[in-house]
Every structure is written in C-alpha cells, then in structure tokens.
Amino acid sequence: MAFHPPKPTPKGLWRRTPPAIFPATLGLLGLALGWRRGVGQFALPPGLADLFLGAVTLFALFALLTYVVKLMRRPAVGLEDLRILPGRAGLAAAVLCLYLLALVFAPLSPAQARPILILGILAHLALTAAVLWTFAHGPAEQRRVNPVWHLTFTGWIVAAFAAQGLGLATLALALFWGALVVALAIWSLSIRQFACESVPAPLRPLLAIHLAPAALLGSVATGFNAEGMALVFAALSVVLLALFVIRARWLLAGGFSPLWGALTFPLAATANFWLALGGAWTLPGAVLLLVATVIIVPIALQVAKLWAKGTLAIKTNAAIA
C-alpha cells in the first residue's frame, strides 16, 4: 500500500483555527464576569475588573472572528470539526461565549446586548441541529453520553442566565426549565455509565463539565429568588466540587492537554454562583474566585500559547478549511 503524507494546510489566514481554543476562552469570560461581580469583596477599584473584562472580551472576539473566517472559507468544515470530541466541545463553548458576551455588554447597552443574545440562540440552534446530524450519520461511539453533551444540550442554561441579565424573564424561565430537564437526564445517564465503565485518563478533565450546569441553574434560580431551589444546586455544586478536589490526582492523571480547558468555566461559574447567593456563601465564593483565577489563567495562557505556535490544531486534529 502506498504511503500518503498528511495533507498540508493551504496558504491563507486562519484555515485551521482549532475549536479547542474556546473552552478556555469561555472560562476566561466567566472568570472576568465573576470579578466584575466580586471585585467589591476585595476592596479593589472596579476599574481593574473592567480592564480584565475588556482584555478578555477582545480575546474572545478575536477567537470567534478567526473561526468565522474559517467557516466562510468552507462552511462544511464545521461539520468536520464536529466529528471529533474536542471539536464538539470547542464549538459548543464558542456558542456559549456569545451568551457571556451579551452579559458583558448588558450593563453598558442592553439594546446592543440583546442582538448578541439572539445571535447566540440562532447559532445554538444551528449547532444543535448539526450535532444531531453528525450523531445520525456518524459511528455509534459518537452517540455515547459524555460531559460535552452538557455544553450543547444543557448549554441553554447559559442563554437563560444571559436573558435574565437582560431583563427577559419569560425567556429565561422557559430556558431554565428546559435546561433543567436535560441536565437531569444527562446526569442520570452519566452516573449509570460511570458505574459500569472506566474513563480513560486523557478524557477525565471533561468530567468537570458536570459542575457547570449545577452552578448555572443555581445562578438563574437565585435571580428568580427561588431560594430553596438555589440552595439545592448550591449543595450539589459543593458535593461535585469536593469530589473533583478529592480525586484531583486521578482527574488529571493524563497530564496537561488542551482538554484541561474544560476545567475552567465550571470553576468560574461556581464562584459566580456562590457570590450571587451572598450571605454565608460570600466568603467561600470570594475564596473560590481567587482559586479559580490561579487555575484558569495559566490554563488559558498555555492553551493560547499552543494556538499561537500552531500545535493546538494538530494536537486536537482540527479540520482544515
């Protein structure tokens, strides 16, 4: 059999933008929003949080631009990225970035933030349809439940969070209940699957994604003053976070990889949730925000460094436009 060398990347800007850049980007956005909420707890000037948020927003917009250019060169490349797990996780995180960007602009100009939210919803619908199409036409292994399903199918809770921040209470409530049903289903199936099968070391960091829905559902419940429900999700977030901390060595046994980006957003979302709860949760939320900063920023910088070197696309097998 003749040997065929790998196909080189054609000349042109951003032909192989890796979707794997977006989980860490999503984590940075969540962290920056957390600092905007919690900067008062540390008696710091609000301008510092705004400066950090501005820098992260510019980075997120740049990352999204590079992938949009890739799609414009050859739209089918998006479906090719969805065939692999890092691609599905990355593209789902990219859509969720739009929701957080809407929250970034909400205090400044709700009139400009709402179109971003609508764009996110349209992109999310398109992504969901594309993922389902990929599942239907791909191998059976792609249809196995995994934590990345939360980003796509439970990710509507991020839309609810953004809608609530923009004063769209009815939309936020509908998205909340839909996301809750999906989250419960994925958690239940994942527990059953985890009881029967072991998780390969390289994929274990993805398990941290299970924490994000608990934090976001709790955040939206807090916004609706549903204190009892919010405390249930707070307790769940404590249990999940404690479990991941206790099993940290097992969780990270595979060594650093771009999949560590999955650790970032759940930590930021949980810190934001605890700060939003206030009261006895304020101090734990502030501490977790500091811990999240120490963890998220180095991971994001390392992933960005891989992207800048061109190795992130190779390591995650990103499709070429």
Side-chain angles (χ1 to χ4, degrees):
M1 182 180 294
F3 171 74
H4 298 284
K7 182 180 178 182
T9 303
K11 292 183 179 180
L13 197 61
W14 305 324
R15 284 187 175 273
R16 203 178 186 185
T17 298
I21 190 62
F22 292 110
T25 303
L26 183 66
L28 283 174
L29 280 170
L31 179 65
L33 287 169
W35 273 106
R36 185 165 74 179
R37 180 190 295 274
V39 67
Q41 304 300 325
F42 302 95
L44 295 174
L48 289 178
D50 291 338
L51 184 64
F52 180 44
L53 185 58
V56 170
T57 298
L58 288 175
F59 178 77
L61 290 172
F62 173 73
L64 288 168
L65 173 64
T66 63
Y67 199 82
V68 168
V69 171
K70 177 178 174 179
L71 283 177
M72 291 175 64
R73 290 184 180 277
R74 189 168 64 86
V77 77
L79 290 175
E80 294 174 13
D81 275 328
L82 287 175
R83 292 174 185 169
I84 57 174
L85 189 60
R88 290 197 295 277
L91 289 182
V95 170
L96 301 187
C97 283
L98 291 173
Y99 296 138
L100 294 193
L101 286 172
L103 277 175
V104 169
F105 291 104
L108 306 175
S109 176
Q112 293 179 358
R114 287 176 182 173
I116 300 175
L117 172 62
I118 294 171
L119 176 62
I121 290 173
L122 293 175
H124 203 159
L125 289 170
L127 173 72
T128 303
V131 169
L132 292 175
W133 188 92
T134 302
F135 285 172
H137 294 83
E141 290 76 11
Q142 290 184 345
R143 297 188 286 273
R144 290 170 56 84
V145 176
N146 61 69
V148 173
W149 281 35
H150 278 303
L151 297 177
T152 302
F153 302 116
T154 314
W156 293 103
I157 190 58
V158 188
F161 188 48
Q164 190 177 62
L166 288 168
L168 303 173
T170 302
L171 175 61
L173 189 61
L175 291 170
F176 170 83
W177 286 111
L180 175 59
V181 171
V182 176
L184 291 174
I186 294 176
W187 279 327
S188 300
L189 292 171
S190 297
I191 291 172
R192 183 181 304 175
Q193 189 178 79
F194 189 75
C196 301
E197 304 172 13
S198 60
V199 181
L203 299 181
R204 290 173 191 168
L206 295 175
L207 293 172
I209 297 174
H210 285 300
L211 176 61
L216 286 157
L217 287 163
S219 293
V220 176
T222 301
F224 283 125
N225 295 317
E227 296 181 3
M229 186 174 289
L231 289 175
V232 169
F233 288 121
L236 177 59
S237 68
V238 169
V239 170
L240 288 173
L241 184 60
L243 181 62
F244 292 141
V245 170
I246 292 170
R247 299 299 304 276
R249 182 176 296 182
W250 175 85
L251 192 72
L252 306 177
F256 180 82
S257 79
L259 293 183
W260 278 35
L263 303 171
T264 61
F265 182 58
L267 282 174
T270 304
N272 210 323
F273 171 36
W274 291 359
L275 286 170
L277 274 175
W281 293 89
T282 301
L283 180 58
V287 171
L288 184 58
L289 184 62
L290 286 174
V291 173
T293 303
V294 173
I295 294 173
I296 292 171
V297 172
I299 291 176
L301 287 175
Q302 184 63 25
V303 173
K305 188 183 298 184
L306 292 176
W307 184 26
K309 290 180 179 178
T311 55
L312 184 61
I314 296 171
K315 287 179 176 291
T316 58
N317 198 24
I320 302 172

